[in-house]
Amino acid sequence: MPDEPAAGQPLRSRAGAGGAGAAAGSQADTTGGLGPVPPGSGWPDDPATGASAAAGSQAGTTGGLGPVPPGSGWPDDPATQATPVAASPAGVRALAATAGTLAELAARQSVCRACPRLVGWREQVAAEKRRSFAAERYWGRPVPGWGDDRPAVLIVGLAPAAHGGNRTGRIFTGDRSGDVLFGSLWRCGLAAQPASIAAGDGQRLLGTRMIAAVRCAPPANKPSVAERDTCAPWLAEEIAQVRASVSVIVCLGHFAWQAILPQLARAGFRLPRPRPAFGHGAEARLRAASGAGGEHQQAAAPGDQGTGPRAPGASGGGSGEVLLIGCYHPSQQNTFTGRVTEDMLDAVFQRARQQAGL
Ligand code: SF4
């Protein structure tokens, strides 16, 4: 596994070429990383064209091309060649803080290059591929938040899978964990279709949005603490942009639970002491520091009627309260061993839907 992205050298040269994306990235970010050179963008002796890039984004027609260039025709790609690129922790902080809309935030997330180890890994996987996906183009970029722009339910995962989200460009899409998760979301009325196969497949989340604590696929599914912290401003800004409508947050696994708590504190919620412990079905009701109360409830059982349904957004962060629910991650290990079952997932998401008033 390389420590540095193979595309590092061309990035600086591309910035010097004066393209729109290069100029925007270098000004906004004080960094030079812009990702691989898009085919047909003026690189000396480049044998490819933009048309070949767009054609290559269609599954089943290409192999071994590495990450998808921004704005080259991949379904639901939020970025363009003009999207500024973060290439350092400072760049992530600056670009997250100045993304004026959720769409711009997703675009900036999707081209980030701030973690050298993860950039190298995601692009290596995209170039080498798994044998069963050898005929497909891999996304090979960070996987941005996806779903409703004004969600009542927010689902937080760990990070994209190397051959799942890193291949399809959509979170929890194209792997077995996603198959289990979307099956449950569909049964519980939070997804339009029972499966999420690929970007552009017609799948939609209903009143729900999904994000990952770390946006790039990590080796062995284990991001470092430094990588988690580097990615945290993207998470913080996404929470800030949806908090007015969100009333329930479901954390898939301990990592997501631990990652979201400090970001909720940054967003103005009061964290109880001791901090609420993660568990399947564990709950913590957090209130904004400026609001009344601030107490939390711990370990209410899924299916408990609690305080009853609320209208979407009526108890959301913007008006002072959010319900955090823990859920075991639907990883293959957890589902194969029976640590988490379809019924257990359904209980959590039915609870989330009911509490969000959906
Ligand atoms: S993990 Fe986050 S901060 Fe690091 S490169 Fe990916 S998107 Fe950027």
Side-chain angles (χ1 to χ4, degrees):
M1 172 178 39
D3 291 327
E4 297 289 338
Q9 183 59 36
L11 305 183
R12 284 184 287 276
S13 299
R14 181 184 164 210
S26 59
Q27 288 168 7
D29 192 19
T30 68
T31 60
L34 285 178
V37 174
S41 61
W43 188 265
D45 301 326
D46 184 353
T49 65
S52 63
S57 69
Q58 305 304 313
T61 61
T62 63
L65 286 178
V68 171
S72 60
W74 191 271
D76 301 331
D77 185 349
T80 69
Q81 289 190 39
T83 301
V85 178
S88 69
V92 173
R93 289 194 294 273
L95 291 181
T98 55
T101 64
L102 209 47
E104 178 62 18
L105 181 66
R108 294 179 178 192
Q109 291 169 352
S110 78
V111 295
C112 180
R113 305 182 64 82
C115 301
R117 186 182 77 114
L118 299 188
V119 172
W121 175 250
R122 78 189 190 207
E123 295 187 355
Q124 178 184 339
V125 170
E128 295 177 351
K129 307 180 182 182
R130 175 177 284 170
R131 183 188 298 259
S132 53
F133 302 123
E136 295 189 21
R137 183 75 186 264
Y138 273 50
W139 171 253
R141 288 166 41 196
V143 177
W146 179 71
D148 199 311
D149 284 354
R150 289 181 49 79
V153 175
L154 188 65
I155 299 172
V156 185
L158 162 61
H163 302 280
N166 189 55
R167 175 174 59 88
T168 63
R170 196 164 75 193
I171 188 167
F172 276 111
T173 295
D175 61 21
R176 290 184 182 169
S177 297
D179 292 345
V180 174
L181 177 62
F182 272 92
S184 178
L185 294 174
W186 177 70
R187 289 191 297 274
C188 296
L190 298 177
Q193 299 178 173
S196 185
I197 299 166
D201 63 0
Q203 178 62 283
R204 289 180 300 120
L205 290 172
L206 307 176
T208 300
R209 189 172 185 84
M210 278 186 190
I211 57 177
V214 173
R215 315 268 163 162
C216 292
N221 292 322
K222 289 181 180 171
S224 70
V225 171
E227 289 160 349
R228 180 201 65 190
D229 292 346
T230 298
C231 208
W234 295 132
L235 179 63
E237 181 59 26
E238 193 147 358
I239 290 170
Q241 292 208 18
V242 301
R243 64 166 284 179
S245 63
V246 168
S247 53
V248 177
I249 300 176
V250 177
C251 292
L252 299 175
H254 183 261
F255 187 100
W257 181 273
Q258 290 298 111
I260 200 79
L261 286 174
Q263 304 314 325
L264 290 174
R266 283 189 57 181
F269 289 96
R270 187 180 304 166
L271 295 187
R273 291 181 184 276
R275 288 191 176 188
F278 173 76
H280 188 84
E283 296 190 0
R285 197 176 294 280
L286 308 180
R287 292 184 178 170
S290 57
E295 68 274 14
H296 73 289
Q297 299 171 354
Q298 183 76 30
D304 179 355
Q305 293 305 299
T307 55
R310 286 179 284 268
S315 62
S319 58
E321 187 174 291
V322 69
L323 177 65
L324 196 62
I325 306 178
C327 180
Y328 288 154
H329 193 286
S331 65
Q332 276 188 270
Q333 181 178 2
N334 281 345
T335 53
F336 280 179
T337 60
R339 187 164 191 251
V340 65
T341 64
E342 288 186 350
D343 286 347
M344 290 168 68
L345 289 174
D346 289 0
V348 165
F349 289 114
Q350 283 168 359
R351 168 78 170 162
R353 181 184 176 186
Q354 175 254 330
Q355 286 291 297
L358 290 173

